[in-house]
Structure formats: C-alpha cells, structure tokens
Amino acid sequence: MFDKLLEPGRHGLVDGRAGVLVRPVEGLAIATVTAGAKRIAAVADTLESRFGIKPPARPACRERDGVSLVGTGPGRWLVLASGQESAGFEAGLCCALDGLGAVTDQSDALLVLELAGPDVGRTLAKGVTLDLHASVFPTGSAAVTVVNHIGVTLWQTDDAPTYRLAVPRSYAGSFMDWLAGSAAEFGLETLS
Amino acid sequence: MTYSIFSVVTNAFAGQKLWRPAWRDATPKPAYDVVIVGGGGHGLATAYYLAKVHGIRNVAVVEKGWIGSGNAGRNTTIIRSNYLLPGNIPFYEWSMKLWEGLEQELNYNAMVSQRSVLNLYHSDAQRDAYARRGNAMRLHGVDAELIDREQVRSMLPFLDFDNARFPIKGGLLQKRGGTARHDAVVWGYARAADRLGVDIVQNCEVTGFLRDGDRITGVETTQGPIRAAKVGISVAGSSSRVAALAGLRLPIESHVLQAFVSEGIKPLIPGVVTFGAGHFYISQSDKGGLVFGGDIDGYNSYAQRGNLAVVEDVCEGGMALMPAIGRMRILRSWGGIVDMSMDGSPIIDRSPLDGLYLNAGWCYGGFKATPAAGWCFAHTIARDEPHEFSAAYRLDRFVTGHLIDEKGVGAQPNLH
Amino acid sequence: MSGELANPAGVLARRGVEQRSGKGTAAVRRLATGGLVDRTRPLEFEFDGRRYTGLAGDTLASALLANDVRLVGRSFKYHRPRGIFSAGCDEPNALVELRTGARTEPNTRATTVELYDRLTASSQNRWPSLDFDVLSVNRFAAPLLGAGFYYKTFMWPASFWEKVYEPLIRRAAGLGRASGQSDPDAYEKSHAFCDLLVIGAGPAGLMAALTAARAGARVILADEGFRMGGSLLSDNPVIGDRPGSDWAAQAIAELKSFPDVTLMARTTVFGVYDGGTYGAVERVADHLPSPPPFLPRQRLWHIVAKRTVLAAGATERPIVFGGNDRPGVMLAGAVRTYANRYAVAAGADVAVFANNDSAWRAARDLVRAGVAVRTMIDVRDTVDPALLAPLKDAGVRILLGSRVVGTSGKRLHGIEVLTGGHRSSIAADTLAVSGGWSPNVNLTCHLGNRPAWNEDIAAFVPDKLPPGMAVAGAANGRFGLADCFAGGASAAVAALEELGIAATAPALLRAEDEPYRIGAFWHVAESRGPAFVDQQNDVTVKDIGIAHREGFRAVEHLKRYTTLGMATDQGKTSNMIGLAIMAELTGKGIPQTGTTIFRAPYTPVTIGAFAGHHRGKEFRPTRLTPTQGWAERQGAVFIETGAWLRAQYYPKPGESDWQETVNREVRTVRSGVGFCDVSTLGKIDIQGPDAGILLDRVYINTWSTLGVGKARYGVMLREDGMVMDDGTTSRLGPCHFIMTTTTANAAKVYQHLEFCLQVLWPELDVQLASVSEQWAQLSVAGPKARETLARIVDPGFDLSNEAFPFMSAAGLTVIGGVQARLFRISFSGELAYEIAVPAGQGERLAEALMTAGAEFGITPYGTEALGVMRIEKGHAAGSELNGLTTAQDLGLGRMMSKKKDFIGRMMSQRPGLTDPKRPALVGLRPVDRSARLRAGAHFIPVGADAIAANDQGHMTSTAYSPSLGHSIGLGLLSCGPSRIGERVRAVDPVRGADTEVEICNPVFIDPQGDKLRV
Amino acid sequence: MRIPCPYCGSRDVQEFSYLGDANLRRPDHEAPEAAFHDYVYLRDNPAGPHRELWYHGSGCRNWLVVTRNTVTHDIAGARFAKEPT
C-alpha cells in the first residue's frame, strides 16, 4: 500500500543528502492487548513470560527478538511482531492470555513507518505537540498523540534518532502528504 | 439634546461644546419599582421598554463595571433571524423588525446594516437541512433564499471553489440579516432609557439579594442596598453566579467565545458569511476590519480570553473558505463569557422566587436578540407572564422536555 | 469598489516608472560614515512608482528617509499627509501597500520592513495620488467630524443609511487594499520547548540568554527584528571600550555555540496562553522578493516554556501639540536610531522637543553623527548640566521651560515655540519629540493582569505576572544600560534556580548607566491647530474632550467612542497620552483612570500563519476506504462524506447521468446481486465477562440474552432520552461482541462507551478496542447474494438458510484462507450479508466478488444506491437520527425494554418526548407519481394556508425509487403513523415546490421482510 | 493550555475533549425523575476551582478528572476518573 501513497525516491529539496528518510515497516503482526483493572499484573506477567519483555507500565517501547511492546495506556499495549502471520499471532496471544485480557488484531489497521535522518526532529516538530528532546523523550520512549489531526502512536527506537510511527490505515494518504510537505525543505527520501 | 442635522451643525460651530452627557451617571435611590441587574444591551433595552411600552419609569439599571463592558461589547455584531425551530423564529424575527426601526426609535445611529447573512452548505444533506430551515422561515413570513454554487460564486468570487476539501455547493441566504455597531446599541438604549427617567448606575456590583422569605425585595450592592418590587437578572456570562446569590442553580455553563478583527482594508466582503464545513464566520465592519470568529473554546471559563487551539481552528476555516485573506493580519482578539444553556436556547422567565426574573442562557446568540430580549423581558417583568414571542423560553422546559435544541446535540453545552 | 479607487492611482504609478527610466536617485540624507548598513550592497526599490536605492541592513523607512522621502501616507479619517514617525512596530503613519498582485500586503509598517532588492511599495488611502488626495477635503469637515459624529447623524431619511451613507463611509474607510486573490505563499506551524524563553534580544535579553546558556539550560531567544541587539544597535552605547553593537555580535556568536540554544530572529512572540504556552510568528521569507522553494512565508510557533524572561524593551511616546502630525515630526528615539543604526539624517535642520533626559542623549548622538541640530526645547525649567554641556559646545540653541505650540508647512518647515509667554517661530524640517518611555508590558497582561503606575518614570510598569514569567530591562521600567544587563542576568539566575539549574550571573560589564529623569507632560494646552493623540485614527485632544463632555469617561468608553488606540498600531504611542488627558479632565489620577486591556497579538499576525498548511485539500485529512484504489480503477465517482471519501456511484459507458447509473445499480441489487463498501461504519470490539451487561445499559433493548453467533439491531439513547445512534451488534463469543455504529458517530459512540466503563460503571470488566481500521467490510446484497458468496467462502462453511439464517454471525475463511467475518444482516432489504476481511485484503475481496458474481451480473454500488435502498426500506439514517428524535418518533418505541435500566430511559418519559402529537416517521409518495419529492419540504394539510401555524413536520429523506418507478420520501409528520392513507402537501417555498403527497408505511419494499429470510 | 495526563504526561489541550462537571453522579435507576433532571441539566458552574471530566481521546483514551480554576485556567492536577477519589 505504501508505494501507492508516495512515489519511492526523493521529494522536496533535491540537492545534498536528504534530511529525512522514511521507510515502511512491513510484515508486522500487530495486536492490542488490554487488561481489566484487576488483571493488569497477571496480563503483564503472561506477556513477559511469552516474549521475555517486561511490558512497560508507562508510555514506552521495549523490544526483543523482533517483538515490540508499546505502552499505549494503563493496562493497554500495542504488540508488534515482525515476520509473523497476523491471524496466527493473534490466536496464539489469545490462548496464552486465556481470557485474562482482550486481544485484538490490528495488523491491517496500522501503517508503521520508520523515520530517520538529521532533520527528522525538525520535521516531526511541525506536527507533534510533544517535546522530543533527548533529555525528555530518549530512546525507548513512546507516545500516543495526534499529528495533523491524525491519531498516531510514536516511539523512538535508537539514538540516531530513529522513530517509528503507527498511522491508521484510512489516514495514511493524508499523513504522507503532511510528511512530504513538512520534510520538503530538508529533502525527503523514501526507501522501500 | 436630540440628535438632528441642526444640533450637529450647531455644535460644529460651537466647537462641539454644547453636547451633554449621553446618559446621567446616576447614584442609586433607596428604592425602585424595578431594578435590572446588568447594564449590557439586554438590561438597558429591558429598562427602555419598561419605561416606553409599560410606563414603568422608576427603574434602575445597575452595572458592576461600565455599561456595555460584557458581551454587548465583545461580540461579532451579527443580526439575523434564520432559525429552524418554531420556538425561536418568531422571537428572532421580532428582534429583526425592532432592529429595522432602531435608529428612529432611539434617535441614535446604531449603524444597523442589512447586508445579508449567507450560510454555506457543502453536501446534499446539508442543503436539505438548510432547505428545511429556509422553509420554516418562509412559513413564518421570514425572508430566506436557497442559492446554488454559481449564485454564491457571483456574490463571493474570492471563495475557494476549485480546490476545497469540502466543496461549496450553495447557501441559505437571508438578505435582511447583517450587522449593527454593538457599542452604539448599548449607548443608544442607555441614552433613550435615561431620557425616559431610568437611572443608570455604573460601578455598582450586586453582592446579594434582599429577600422576605421566598420573595425577592431588592439587591445588596457595592453602593449599598437598593429595594425593588421586582428584580430582573440580565447578566449574560455571570448568570449562574448572580442566580447563586439567590440560591438558584441554572441549566447553564459559562464558556469563553473568542472573536477576532483584522487591520482595516478597503471593502472586500459584502455581507456575513458562515462556513458550513468548519467553525468560521466573517463580516467586514464599516471601519474596514474583517470581524470573524468560530467555535467556543469548549471548557468552563470565566476568563475573558481563550487559547491558541481555537484561534488556529478559526483561521484554518477562514483559509479553507477564502484563501484571499491569508495576508490580512489579525489586529485584536478577545473573549466573551457566554451562558451556554443545556439546549442551546435562552431563558426569559420568572424565577422560582417571587419578584425575581431571569433573562439568561443566550449562548453566543445574545447580540442579535438585544431588542426583542429587552422587549419580551420587560413584558414578563411588567405583566408577570411570558410574552407570546418568548413563550418557549421557559425555565421548566427541561423538566417537561419541551426543549429548543437547534443543533440536536442534547444536554452538552459546549457542543451547542 | 476597491478597484475603482485603486486603478487610477496604479496607472499614475506605472507612468511614473516609465518616465524615470529605472535610474536610482541619490540617497541625499545618508551619512558618510557609521551605521550598521552594508555600503557594499546597494538595493534598488520602488515607492509609488519611483525608483530609489537603499542599502542592505536598511528598513524601507530608513531607505525612504535616506532618499529624503518625507510624505508616505494619508491618515484614516481626514486623509492628512503623514510621514515616518517612529523606527519600529509602534508606527502609526508610515503604512504602505507592500508588494503587488496576489502578494499585496496592505497596511505594512515601512519601519519594520527589511529592505530587499527590487522591493515594491505604494502609499495607501489616497486618490488619485499621495500628493494630491481628493478626500483630504475631509479635513475641512473636521469641525463636523468630531468623536461620535456618526452616531448622531446619517439617520434621515431612514432608508438612506444602507443605500447612500454607509457605502460611502465603507469606501472611504479602511486603509490598504486586499488583492482578492488566493494567497500564493505557504505557511506552516511548528512546536518548540525550552527551560527558558527570552523575549527580546536587547541588552537585558542577551544577558539573560547568555546566563542561561552558560548554565546548560535549553534556551530560546526570540527577537522581532532582523538583527539582534535592540537598543545596543540604536543607542550606540560604549561597553567597556567597544561599541555596543560589537558586544551584541559577540554575545550572539557565543550563544550560537551552544547546542541547546535556539536563536529566533525575525520572530515576534505575540501572545501568552495558558500552561506556559507562547505564540510566536517567524517571518521566514518576508525579507525576500518571494519565498525560496519548499520554504513557507511565515511559520507559527507554539513555544512551551518552563520559565520566561520578558525583555521586550520600551516604547517612546510623543508630546501632543498643534500640528504634531506634520511629516517631519518624529519620535526623538527614532531620529536617533536612524542616525546611529542606519546612518541616515532624518532631516537637514533638526529641532528636539522633550520632557525627559533620553531626548538630550538623542540630540547628543545626532550632533556626534553630524546631523544638524539647531534647537533643543524642554518643558522643564532645569536639566542636569551634564546633559547641557555637549549640546552647548555644539552650538545648539537651548530653550528650557518651553513648549512647541504649532507647526507649519505641508512637510514640516517651521515650528512655533512658547517660552515664558513669548511665541517665536523657528525654522526646522524635522522635530524630534519625546514625551518619555512606556515599558512594553503587553505580554505581562495577556492572562488578565493589569500593570501598575510608576510615578518616577511616569509610566505603567509590570505588576502581577503570568506564571513562570519574569521581566527585565526597559520592559521592567529600568532604562539604564547597566541596569538592563544586571536585570537580565539576575532574572535568568532566579528562573533557572526554580528549575533546579544552578546559574551564575556573568561579571558586570562596564557600561554608562545614564540616569533617566522625566517631568510628566502630555499635551500642550496652548496649541494652535489640531493636536493629534492617535495619529492613524485622527483622534485629537478635542475629541477626548467631547468624549468627556458626553460621559464616555471610562477608559474603555473613551477608546470605543473616539477609536483611540484602535488603529493598526494599537495605540502604542497614543493610549498613554489619551488616558492621561482624560484623567486630567476628570480630575482622577492616572492610576485610578487605568489602562485598556492589553490583548494578543502584540503586533498584528497574518491569518495565513495561524492557518498553517491547513487550507485547500489539506484543510482536514481525508480518510480512504480499503477499496479506494479498486474503486478508482472501476471509474467510480467519489464524494466527501464527513472525513471520508466514498464511492458515490459506478458509471458504466453509455450511461447518460448519475441517476441512470444509480437506477441500474439498485435494479441489479434487487434482481441479482451487488456489493458496497461499508467499511466506514464504526466497528468496536467489546470483550470481557460483563460485555452483555454494558450493552444492556447502553442499548434500549436487551442483549445479555443474545446467543453466540447471533446479530441484533440496537438503538442507543443519550441520557436526555433522544436517539444517539443505532447499528447491528453481534456476539462472537460468550464474552466477545462486535458493535457497529453509524459512520458519523463512530468516535462519539466509542467515547460514550469508555465514559460508561470508566466514569459510570468502573466495576464492569469490559475492554474496548476500535477495529474500524482493521476490517474491510463489504455488503453483498440481492437474491443472488448467497450463490455469489458460496463461490468465495472456503469449503466447509455452510451458507444454507438453515445453517446460517437471517441475523447470524460467524468467523470463517474466504478466497483461500483469508480470515473473515460474515454477518447475515441487511440494510437494502434484500437477502444480504456483510463480509469483513482484513483491510489489506479488501481489494482482493472486491475482485473475487466481481468474478464470483459475474454470471449474475454483479455490480458494485455506491452511497447513492445505498441511500435509495435504505429509503425504500424505511430505515432511519442521518437526517432522521438528527438528535431531535426519540425512539418512538422513529417507530422503534416498542424496542424499549421495560424490565431494565438503560441510558436515557428516565428522561425519555417526559411529556415533551412522549407527546402523541410529535412528528413521527412515515413514508410519503407523490399523488402525481411523476412529481419529484425533496427533503426539507414541510407538511401542510391539504387546503390549509402555508403558514407556520399549519406546519405538521418535514420531509427528511427522498429518492427516486427505480423499483417503484416514482419518487418516494420519508418524513416526520405529526401523528403520522395514525394517518396512513391521508394526504398532505409537501411545501417547499425555497425551491418553489408544493406537492400533494400520500402518507404511507415507511417500508416501501417487502414490508413483511420475506426477502430477508429466504 | 496543557493538561497533565497521569499516564501520558503534559499534553496539549487539543488531544482532549471536554465533558463538564465531575461532581455529578448518575442517579440510581429507582431515583425519581427530578433527580435525573438535576443530573442532566443543572450545573454549579463555579467561578474558581472546578473538578471536570476530560477525555484523552487522542492519547491513552482515559477519562480524567481535572481540577482547574475557571477564572485563571490554572490546573491543580488530574487523575483517572475510574480510580476512586
């Protein structure tokens, strides 16, 4: 779907190296896991034993062996697993949790983008109303927020910095328009 | 001194030295037949019609600051009667008729200017909703026209017809709608009421009510107690606070509504235009400023100021509708505290307490209602019964379920 | 109207250019040395069609003065000739139309425009030309046109106001012209965060920023000018042994070396908002002929600051006297700035008129710079000898205890001075006036605070401050340079300390700290000729007298009655004087009189900047359905429905119009099979042991009893008893439901459910997730729906009516292993299913259905056909679910359970909601079958007058029914259901229609619903 | 205006939607109609501190009880609505 949204290649300013690089992260199985107030701990334990990651109790992202747990609310996580088949992944989670918490497949609901480059911060600042300074939003931080009137989930994966954004599928086109416009002054390179 | 060509010319030769105060700055007498709390447009109009129509001249208007310091001087000056529901149309149409004769009535030029009000529609459903509204207006004898895209284009060629996210498909036009000079309305009513003997008392804040059991017998003020056979509250934005002094809880929340004016430019926008796919409406004042606004900030507030989010939302609507105003500059922004009622419609009624009367809940529509609100509130106070045009604005409608909900959003004040 | 006014002037302007063959004239008033302009970079520009040359570093105003252009505009009311008055954003007079065509910027202050090559500007509010302006006759009417004039006249005859007077007034009013063309430039928004925001890069601001930067804090330093330094550039002080401008340059260089310091020049912090949020506008490309590729013209900044130091400086105010608006009368500080910073002599023969010490230093600087200063006039009888000396030495004539009472010349050539009863005329082409300095307290007041009166400097100073703000330097009423440095440093240290950041003030700099003494003096009572307080709005001392006489004495009444301070300069140089004069008249003190409220923006900000890129198609994001690409390939026509773009209909070659296409789509569904993307419906995943209880409480009907694998139609009310939303919800497991909502209410219903679970009944164990984005949901409808589906469901799933009857729901796989959900529900009234697959499979499913249904002539259909079929079936939708209807009104009253509580139950029983006379849902068909019905028409009894008293309801939805061959409608009609068979009129005056209609059952097709169950 | 969400931290007001007075309690279904009328329609609407419901719809989707001064807009604090006071 990504290539339909934005021509692969260079956009905006063409001379010099691109200030912002964007690439789609494909082949992800994605699910939300939600726990009732009384069972947050139990669900967290189950997730930890399954993925070997302690689910963050705050807006943060923890990653291991291609599986990421992103805290999106109290007792609510976004689970992303690369190279897994979505229905199977959801089913597996369901049985592991065995009714402790709710599992909902979102593999097709979200377009996950990876953003990097020297000007990624200045570009995101045009839409993100959060302080992304390293002292406030270091690697591993996550946030559910809104960009250009579009609800997104955002987390930082390394100190480059590199960010990942999960964008609702129906809004993906408008989001890419915003990104292309906001990064144009720095030059945007789309990779695949 | 009556304003006339004669008096204006005489003063020109007399170096403008013959003018006298437009109204007396009165100090309160111990007692009145009626005390109106609130020296805004509504309160002063009420006092004027009490004296003029009902012959009740022993009236005081008490104002905590300077007259017109509330919403009367903080609105976008639009007058119209393009309402949908039967409870509203006759009232606002009566107001429109009073506007049409206001200058002569008051001998004061309030610059009532019927330059038309156009509500744009952007979908077939919206067109049908406006048709329903326009038809309701016509059945009430109010002027309304449903115009198409090309008619809109001929009126306002600079709108975005080619690249709009929500295409302009037409509009509901009320040619008799328009604007008036808000401060002049206040001063005109004050001057006219004063000439009929009404006392206008500024810097006089009501701090409590005098009562005899469940009967209100006057007000406590910062200038001392003032007794009155009847007390009318007309304090938009502060209605809950003043009513609370009498122990009443109202179906009202106070919210802040921001408005904006640009630097003055030569005439660009002929009438009033409202955007149907965003929160934006605009007109151009006689001084050349673009006067515009949008939605309320949306949270309870008594601070006469708002936040950036709404400023941006309004300007986004403005640029989506008329990208020609991009280089115009906002000169001033301000906020008014509006009574958002639970069904979006006002209250003109007796209160549960004898001798206490209520004119409140005007949301952001109070200015256009000024003459009729004064007229009907005066009637309610003088006759102890609702006027036919404000018969629907009863306080008990929330109990009985006879709501007047133009937007159909229910008991959610910040959505009206 | 503007065109009529403009063109003649434009023609003259163009002719002007041709005559002067583009040759730049010499800048006769440019001083030979000094200044901060780049003499190696001359810039050509054009004013009123004439070419001139300026230098890089000039403003348009300094370049005009350098070329001895004194007359630059006309005033608002009397069209009096006006010149350059100030050197900053406080300018009341020198407003020009900058640029041309779609980029025209009216009312632009020449004093803040950074000169660029080939800049074009023209004067405003004059016709035919600036020199000869017809409307300047207004000044002869001045005796008539006093304050309040308009309110007292233009009333006779009544009808003349709109027709005659107002159009004339409107045309005369306003200053510049809008192009009326779409703004060609881009705007954008951005967000910034910092420990310390420093507003203003003068001595106090630079020192505050340095202090914070050296302490390692995150700092933003914003300044409205294009060169940072503030008074260090204009007052030319000596710091240590170097010019102040050198020190500023060095400080800025040091600040640039810190990674967490952001310097924002050309950036005005215009407003203070809640939570430490500041609004600022960065003029990214206003100093260029046009914005470079990919760059916006301006950028709106949201700056969230933990602490703020306001170092916005002070504004000089004049003394008001007769003829004080003549071109050549300027603020003393401005004349000083033009000499020191721009190396421009404002005139060849300068006189100074003041009541305070700063003007004496201005005069001293002018003498030093080689500007001819002949006369120094001060209202005070004595001044500090230290001030006298340098001027005496320079041979300046000094008149103490004196005042200027009048002026002469179109452009100033002489002044009349009153000294101890004697009037004398003095030649001067420039009069530098200073009435003292007013701290720029504006931003301290945006959250509702008022400033405090300070007698010593005769000015209002900051009092209560917004949370987190400190004030330093001239903005705080401290005018000495050393004071500014010290104040900036200590404000920063204190602010950072509150944040737990240790900072130390830099070593104090050696700077002349000149005392500032003032003898408060506002206007010259003995004036000859009109004395202007607000020059742009032509408000005179006399007008303030009129306001006082007529009782408009409250400072806000004064402002509104006389328009004092309401011009584009917001009265920066006039408000103080106006209220001082009113205080004089009322006998109240200035502090008792008080100021008007300071509001955002500090200086005017473009509407474009506030809108950013949210215009045109980008006004709001567009949501696309999972089959968008496929539908495009099918040649579908799309329509905006709320946030969504949806396929409206799918025209085939040869079809003449949309109606023909829609008819074909409907007929195909009713006779064969069709499908439609209904993914826009809200889909909410509801899980947990108490899910059934939740549904029982939010829906009016009962849910806990619904069997697994079953679907049910539900209606939910608002707490006030009106219908909120409806939809079909299915039970996928004992603790698992999937709810569908209408497209419009998807977000609202989700929020409502979270409200119920988190606020009303937190004890319920239910988890929600929106899956609207996850599933592509297609409705497959028509007699051939089952046969079509049979070809795409994977083997093993039994579609038979027995195994999968009406209102069934199941999970399965389709088209070879694609996970899917199947619901046997129908909106069209046909045998129908809704099938959901992961959104990424939506287009594959659409293609599979096309193949599977090919032999039945399957067609995709859009929102139009969907709407026609729902009306044929009498289903309520948006125009019936309008927030004003009850379940009863919609014929759904019987669904309301008596056995349980649910949201809205109690309030729905109020008499106003149960009144049998309420309009209720019926069907309508035209008596004359060829007539077309229109939604929005009102119902009037046959034979009755079309007046409100006879209004019985309205038509909510209409369509042409290809199945019935005529127009049909749904409506809300008083006592409707009991009037089936009666006739009423559908009256539609706004579209000139009046159609007799027959009241019928709202279900036009298959009222028994047999087709659903086959 | 920024609202301190207990989960997300300080966020711009645009991420939230406002409902109103947080002191209101939905009456028991046996309660008289008058109780529902007061609940649905009557408000204290104070000038000063106000406990109010905000929904963090563009964030963690939690309903919050925010204590905010309606005169100064100062925010004293925020907590999850589902947590008992």
Side-chain angles (χ1 to χ4, degrees), chain C residues 908-989:
Chain C
S908 69
Q909 297 165 13
R910 288 175 291 171
L913 280 72
T914 51
D915 182 345
K917 288 202 164 40
R918 281 180 65 93
L921 189 71
V922 292
L924 301 131
R925 49 175 167 248
V927 172
D928 166 5
R929 295 286 195 263
S930 66
R932 178 181 170 192
L933 302 183
R934 284 204 178 88
H938 285 239
F939 300 128
I940 300 287
V942 177
D945 294 341
I947 56 169
N950 300 327
D951 191 349
Q952 298 189 326
H954 76 284
M955 190 87 72
T956 52
S957 309
T958 58
Y960 174 80
S961 165
S963 321
L964 301 173
H966 61 78
S967 184
I968 60 172
L970 298 176
L972 294 164
L973 174 68
S974 180
C975 309
S978 62
R979 297 168 62 181
I980 304 292
E982 282 180 37
R983 291 179 174 188
V984 290
R985 284 158 59 203
V987 179
D988 190 12

Side-chain angles (χ1 to χ4, degrees), chain A residues 10 13-21 117-119 186-187 189:
Chain A
R10 186 68 180 263
L13 189 71
V14 286
D15 36 295
R17 66 176 275 230
V20 181
L21 309 168
D119 297 306
F186 313 113
E189 184 81 44

Side-chain angles (χ1 to χ4, degrees), chain A residues 1-70:
Chain A
M1 124 186 234
F2 182 75
D3 55 344
K4 294 202 207 84
L5 298 174
L6 195 63
E7 294 281 306
R10 186 68 180 263
H11 302 266
L13 189 71
V14 286
D15 36 295
R17 66 176 275 230
V20 181
L21 309 168
V22 57
R23 89 176 168 84
V25 184
E26 272 150 352
L28 287 175
I30 307 173
T32 52
V33 175
T34 316
K38 297 184 208 67
R39 290 198 299 274
I40 292 178
V43 169
D45 294 346
T46 315
L47 290 175
E48 183 169 6
S49 55
R50 182 170 181 81
F51 301 117
I53 309 171
K54 191 166 182 43
R58 39 177 300 280
C61 170
R62 305 232 172 94
E63 197 265 345
R64 180 169 169 182
D65 311 332
V67 175
S68 302
L69 288 185
V70 182

Side-chain angles (χ1 to χ4, degrees), chain C residues 578-591:
Chain C
L579 76 90
I581 294 171
M582 179 56 78
E584 207 172 275
L585 291 167
T586 57
K588 286 187 190 163
I590 288 172

